[in-house]
Amino acid sequence: MILIQLSFDFPPSMMGEELVKVGKDLADSINNEAGFISKIWTENPETGKAGGIYLFEDKETAENYMDMHAKRIEGLGIEKFDVQYFSVNETLSKINHGI
């Protein structure tokens, strides 16, 4: 299992309920991506940062998704974003209800 941690600058005025309004179709489409397990949407109006924590079945599907999603993010005018990949220690994560 692979975790993607994604963050980028995002206008606080577009967070919260405003993001819910415009992001539902995107959220629905993410559920159909190959290897996708889950996503936690993240936002911090105080710092102007948003992004997400994603779980994918394996590194190949995670990287394929991020290649496609990076183009989508850039299409929204977001030029700089931070992407990190992590392996998930499933045994310990289950103990702490992470998966």
Side-chain angles (χ1 to χ4, degrees):
M1 188 176 306
I2 297 295
L3 180 143
I4 300 172
Q5 180 179 309
L6 170 66
S7 65
F8 46 83
D9 292 335
F10 197 71
S13 63
M14 291 297 298
M15 295 180 189
E17 288 304 313
E18 189 61 32
L19 185 56
V20 171
K21 290 178 196 173
V22 299
K24 180 156 180 352
D25 288 343
L26 174 59
D28 288 338
S29 74
I30 292 170
N31 287 333
N32 298 320
E33 296 295 331
F36 175 76
I37 298 171
S38 69
K39 176 182 180 181
I40 297 173
W41 292 67
T42 59
E43 52 188 42
N44 185 334
E46 293 175 11
T47 62
K49 295 280 185 189
I53 304 295
Y54 303 75
L55 286 178
F56 279 84
E57 293 174 358
D58 53 51
K59 190 161 186 181
E60 180 181 359
T61 57
E63 289 176 337
N64 289 342
Y65 174 78
M66 228 19 257
D67 288 344
M68 178 277 300
H69 193 50
K71 292 177 182 122
R72 181 166 41 203
I73 293 169
E74 291 166 346
L76 297 173
I78 299 167
E79 298 174 3
K80 184 178 177 188
F81 46 91
D82 182 51
V83 178
Q84 296 184 44
Y85 296 90
F86 297 90
S87 295
V88 175
N89 184 312
E90 294 183 43
T91 303
L92 293 174
S93 295
K94 286 177 183 176
I95 291 170
N96 296 119
H97 312 288
I99 53 175

